[in-house]
Amino acid sequence: PYNGGHGQAIRLGYEMAQKEWVFQIDSDNQFEIQDFWKLYALKDTYPLLLGLRKKRDDYLERLALTKFIRFFNYLFFGVWISDANCAFRLIRNDFIKKLLPLLDKQLVAPNIAISLLAKKKNLLQEIPIAYRRENVTHKLTEHWELIKMTFKGFIQLIKFKKIYSKF
């Protein structure tokens, strides 16, 4: 079977969603599911409610990547999002369906682009949530894959700037 990667899987999930609200959560058991209710309680205020991983005990490269994304987004796009790629988010379906046609189908990190567009229009709110590091040992090859994917993602975000500017 075809494996288009993480970004295409996220996008496919958004495209196939049929209910009024779409809740995204990674399957690695790093989030407290009851924090969903923190986002849901604010669903009538913003079309995108984004988890903000507080007290994040995580691997150094993941912490550094999140900080780099935060500063890159601020310097390059002029918006401050503390955790733009957090995989704990509640999104109104009609909102996500309006944004998807603007995004390249090959984006490595569509959630970052979605967060940027929402923040530009002040349609995003970050909500502190619990987070715990996954209990797995990463191989050197996985670190290298993260580096390659990160580089590709930043090149894509630079190209995305044209779409962002017109939004």
Side-chain angles (χ1 to χ4, degrees):
Y2 172 73
N3 180 351
H6 181 77
Q8 288 185 22
I10 297 294
R11 184 185 179 100
L12 182 61
Y14 290 149
E15 289 173 351
M16 295 182 71
Q18 297 178 12
K19 300 296 181 182
E20 182 180 1
W21 287 91
V22 179
F23 178 59
Q24 181 204 352
I25 184 172
D26 277 352
S27 62
D28 52 13
N29 203 28
Q30 293 178 293
F31 298 102
E32 296 291 338
I33 191 63
Q34 60 268 30
D35 280 346
F36 165 81
W37 299 108
K38 292 179 182 178
L39 279 61
Y40 190 79
L42 298 170
K43 71 177 178 55
D44 295 325
T45 59
Y46 292 90
L48 173 52
L49 296 154
L50 180 60
L52 170 59
R53 296 172 276 196
K54 288 294 204 175
K55 298 179 184 175
R56 188 172 172 188
D57 172 32
D58 213 340
Y59 298 100
L60 181 61
E61 66 270 15
R62 296 222 177 243
L63 294 172
L65 179 58
T66 298
K67 285 185 180 188
F68 185 76
I69 291 168
R70 184 181 307 140
F71 288 111
F72 177 87
N73 288 344
Y74 183 71
L75 292 173
F76 202 72
F77 294 96
V79 296
W80 186 265
I81 307 169
S82 296
D83 205 355
N85 201 31
C86 183
F88 192 92
R89 53 182 59 214
L90 184 63
I91 311 169
R92 207 171 60 227
N93 198 355
D94 62 343
F95 181 68
I96 196 69
K97 294 295 196 285
K98 288 178 188 173
L99 298 183
L100 287 177
L102 303 174
L103 307 181
D104 183 325
K105 292 186 178 190
Q106 304 301 315
L107 281 179
V108 169
N111 277 340
I112 296 175
I114 290 165
S115 296
L116 285 166
L117 292 172
K119 184 69 174 188
K120 182 178 184 182
K121 299 291 186 177
N122 198 27
L123 299 173
L124 173 150
Q125 177 67 43
E126 290 185 282
I127 313 298
I129 58 167
Y131 176 83
R132 61 184 163 271
R133 176 172 42 182
E134 59 184 331
N135 291 321
V136 297
T137 303
H138 292 279
K139 300 174 196 162
L140 185 58
T141 55
E142 291 170 334
H143 293 287
W144 179 242
E145 287 302 315
L146 178 64
I147 291 168
K148 288 192 316 188
M149 189 172 71
T150 299
F151 183 73
K152 182 178 179 181
F154 281 110
I155 297 298
Q156 290 174 336
L157 280 175
I158 290 168
K159 292 177 182 176
F160 172 71
K161 174 78 177 202
K162 289 179 187 176
I163 292 163
Y164 178 84
S165 297
K166 295 176 185 176
F167 184 70

